[in-house]
Amino acid sequence: MFSLTIRDHMMIAHSLRGEVFGPAQRLHGATFVVDATFRRAELDADGIVVDIGRASEALRAVLGELGYRNLDEEEGLAGMNTTTEALARLIADRLADAALSGGLGDGARELDGLAVTLHESHVAWASYERPL
Amino acid sequence: MFSLTIRDHMMIAHSLRGEVFGPAQRLHGATFVVDATFRRAELDADGIVVDIGRASEALRAVLGELGYRNLDEEEGLAGMNTTTEALARLIADRLADAALSGGLGDGARELDGLAVTLHESHVAWASYERPL
Amino acid sequence: MFSLTIRDHMMIAHSLRGEVFGPAQRLHGATFVVDATFRRAELDADGIVVDIGRASEALRAVLGELGYRNLDEEEGLAGMNTTTEALARLIADRLADAALSGGLGDGARELDGLAVTLHESHVAWASYERPL
Amino acid sequence: MFSLTIRDHMMIAHSLRGEVFGPAQRLHGATFVVDATFRRAELDADGIVVDIGRASEALRAVLGELGYRNLDEEEGLAGMNTTTEALARLIADRLADAALSGGLGDGARELDGLAVTLHESHVAWASYERPL
Amino acid sequence: MFSLTIRDHMMIAHSLRGEVFGPAQRLHGATFVVDATFRRAELDADGIVVDIGRASEALRAVLGELGYRNLDEEEGLAGMNTTTEALARLIADRLADAALSGGLGDGARELDGLAVTLHESHVAWASYERPL
Amino acid sequence: MFSLTIRDHMMIAHSLRGEVFGPAQRLHGATFVVDATFRRAELDADGIVVDIGRASEALRAVLGELGYRNLDEEEGLAGMNTTTEALARLIADRLADAALSGGLGDGARELDGLAVTLHESHVAWASYERPL
């Protein structure tokens, strides 16, 4: 099995709902350093997992819709607790949509899966992985 | 599949038994930067894998029983070759016990698995993963 | 010249005033991984720059006053553009106050200087250094 | 499941064939920081996954055959597009050969699998994993 | 004193002249992860060292002139031994030119100095620092 | 001013004397990831700060005299509190001796200074810098 991972980041404000979050229930924020991993069993005719240029643009586009925003006020996220885990899934699902719709190139439709890791600090990170 | 990872560290002395270890058969030591990863298929009602605060305290407690000690003289480790691999399993098993006994919160009983990685330097690390 | 550096982090929301900041003029946030460096020409009687335990507590206390907050609404920061650079100075100055008032131990009054670096992402960080 | 990972690096020149590579079709180069991961279900009699000394020598030998070279002119790589992904497989396969032929010690014949990750920059890396 | 650092990278082929370089006398290559640090005694009216957006574009432009190339065949580098150290100076000098000519914004003319670090691997890096 | 830095590591056991060290007064250990930085105002005739091969061997030799040992029982360190700071100076002084005696090559006698940083964990490190 092959994989390719690219890294980018976004900076957001949000608050979390639930006593378990303690002081993080207050409005605060995070830099999420985001690793997007694309997997496939065999390489394509060019010898790659995915076009790294198109994958980087797709990741940048997904993060651009979230970054430099207060996620508490984003209509598309209404009712969602924007935990690191939940944002990892959101980003993975949007990248999967891009892959399936051809946005990462024709070959990317043959990806077997992808994973997204959000690093919220030097001591904590969360991941979500899914098939494509 | 979701995962959450937290990082902490411990500093220990020990020696290793067996010719394969060469100079590491002498009493020496290590800083182990420890990554503990908790996995589950679905997020809990708060939208998380595990309460990061309780998980951090549990990891701290496990490392606190080992750190700042000469592992060669710990009764609980008698007869064990305290390799990086073996310590990864020991820590993972202790975290699993904590999870199963409710020490990470009620929701943590639904964890699917966990993994522990010990970084012994910038060029070597070992992991152990197990179901819960 | 000797130095000792310790690392911690904080997560905040804020917005920046000025056209130069582009989309960062909107309310967003950041994780700042914070490195605090203490310098002195000679080691103290214990052979250290500063008591790492007390220095870590002092840094934790300074970051605790800022973290998990919306800096735009903090009274103590009114009128301040909370750029990464400006926050580095704020934290350095508060650590210097702690050192001079004995909060880092008696020996810390002999520190020659300190520096604070705030990492806002994997590709950008800012520092402020000052004498003590 | 246990794993042990060691890190080394190599510096090579090459060019990539295919429009998808854009400017990387020109002769350029890369530092690949290489992580080799060895996996097995149970530890050997010494309590390890593999002899870290022999594994490091084997990795060094594999990288020594590629490093400080223009891969476009290596006979053994003729016709191969030396993408990061393809090089990860090449290195993994050569390490697997070393393990199976006893080059990592007798115990290494019991390895269950291995994985190789090549970091081409701070923002991109590729992996290949296989059974042994 | 304040500083701001941004990170980018370039991938090049080259060879080095001189027996001291051993196998690096052959055509090979490198990924250089490049940290550009801008220093000034006081922040500007916006509370920053330099416009991070313009600084990033300037660094990208400088690296774009070198990256994805065989430096041995670049006319502008004829006669230069393109060591990590020498490339650090080259990039620092080009950034200084950009700053002095207004390419980083008017405020950047007040920078006191800059430094450039090139990481050639996880175990070696070189820097050059200069006044502005 | 130019600098070149190389990284290596050592693993040692020791205990620290003084109440300030709390649990670190017990026999424990550390991995020190060691960065050695060599500085000079102008590059030598080859365009380098120092021969990276010889510098790496010299650092390896210095660390080899300390690593895989219990520093409490080393005769050469009797009476020394082997704090991270003190070890940084010890290593820097030994590298300086090597440079001055020609062990890093003739050109290394023209070095202006050097610095040594010991990383004791992912959240703490200490440095010592000196002229040559």
Side-chain angles (χ1 to χ4, degrees), chain E residues 4-62:
Chain E
L4 176 82
T5 304
I6 52 174
R7 175 169 284 188
D8 202 334
H9 76 285
M10 66 175 181
M11 304 175 86
I12 58 92
H14 69 158
S15 60
L16 297 171
R17 284 174 287 108
E19 285 185 22
V20 71
F21 297 107
Q25 295 176 85
R26 301 196 299 251
L27 181 63
H28 64 290
T31 304
F32 290 114
V33 175
V34 181
D35 296 338
T37 298
F38 304 89
R39 304 187 200 278
R40 60 190 295 166
E42 297 299 331
L43 298 179
D44 73 7
D46 289 311
I48 56 175
V49 167
V50 67
D51 178 349
I52 195 171
R54 295 186 79 162
S56 298
E57 287 167 16
L59 178 58
R60 183 92 297 278
V62 170

Side-chain angles (χ1 to χ4, degrees), chain C residues 10 12 34 36 38 54-55 57-67 69 71 74-78 80 82 86-104 111 114-116 128 130-132:
Chain C
M10 66 175 182
I12 58 92
V34 181
F38 303 89
R54 294 186 79 160
E57 287 168 18
L59 178 58
R60 184 90 298 277
V62 170
L63 300 185
E65 291 171 358
L66 298 167
R69 283 176 174 80
L71 300 187
E74 287 299 297
E75 285 191 15
L77 306 178
M80 175 183 172
T82 55
L87 289 170
R89 177 168 53 185
L90 180 77
I91 293 168
D93 287 348
R94 291 185 178 181
L95 285 174
D97 289 346
L100 293 169
S101 66
L104 302 187
L111 289 168
L114 50 78
V116 168
Y128 175 69
R130 52 162 280 174
L132 198 68

Side-chain angles (χ1 to χ4, degrees), chain B residues 81 83 85 123 125-127 129, chain D residues 1-3 5 7 46-47 49:
Chain B
N81 220 7
T83 62
E85 293 93 323
V123 291
W125 52 97
S127 296
E129 59 180 307
Chain D
M1 177 66 73
F2 292 90
S3 70
T5 303
R7 174 168 285 188
D46 289 310
V49 168

